[in-house]
Amino acid sequence: MSERTLAIIKPDAVKKQVIGDIIHRYEQAGLKPVAIRMLHMSKSVAEGFYAVHNARPFFGSLCDFMSSGPAVVLVLQGDNAIKKNRDLMGATDPAKADAGTIRKAHGTNIEFNAVHGSDSPETAQFEISYFFPGQDIFQ
Ligand code: IDP
Ligand code: MG
């Protein structure tokens, strides 16, 4: 079933100049970009996005990281897009990520791990509307 997921190319990956490589991986996997924005999140925008993690010990550091430089946020569409993107990303900790995954290739550590992907239909809906309110999503 075709569905949509939210992906973020995080500030560490933008600094490493691997935006193109990561988008190529999405396209090769059949995940079609249907909306793309580049933005430098304020800390409060990062806090709102990651509000579900606000009790975690790494929350402050995570929000500092996500607001440390520009990021690319995308809506990806395709069959089983949510799981497909999670598989493509690899484990949260790049050291534990499978060979061939984005985090294995471009992640630095469990925090600076190159990409984000929605983890359920509910979070995808929240996350897409968080960064793409309105109509700027294509088919
Ligand atoms: P996910 O991105 O694989 O879904 P989550 O558990 O949802 O992982 O965590 C959100 C983000 O918070 C991670 O992608 C990573 O950047 C950061 N993070 C997760 N666990 C840790 C940790 O133990 N220390 C520091 N940062 C972490
Ligand atoms: Mg998550």
Side-chain angles (χ1 to χ4, degrees), residues 35 57 82 112-113:
I82 295 169
F112 302 151
N113 58 5

Side-chain angles (χ1 to χ4, degrees), residues 54-111:
N54 67 9
R56 303 277 197 101
F58 56 82
F59 180 67
S61 174
L62 172 61
C63 294
D64 283 341
F65 162 49
M66 292 300 288
S67 58
S68 67
V72 177
V73 295
L74 310 89
V75 179
L76 303 174
Q77 183 165 319
D79 288 341
N80 293 311
I82 295 169
K83 181 175 190 306
K84 193 178 272 184
N85 186 39
R86 295 293 306 193
D87 290 347
L88 206 57
M89 289 161 61
T92 305
D93 182 352
K96 296 180 181 151
D98 289 341
T101 62
I102 295 170
R103 283 168 164 171
K104 186 69 171 185
H106 299 308
T108 300
N109 58 43
I110 196 168
E111 181 169 60

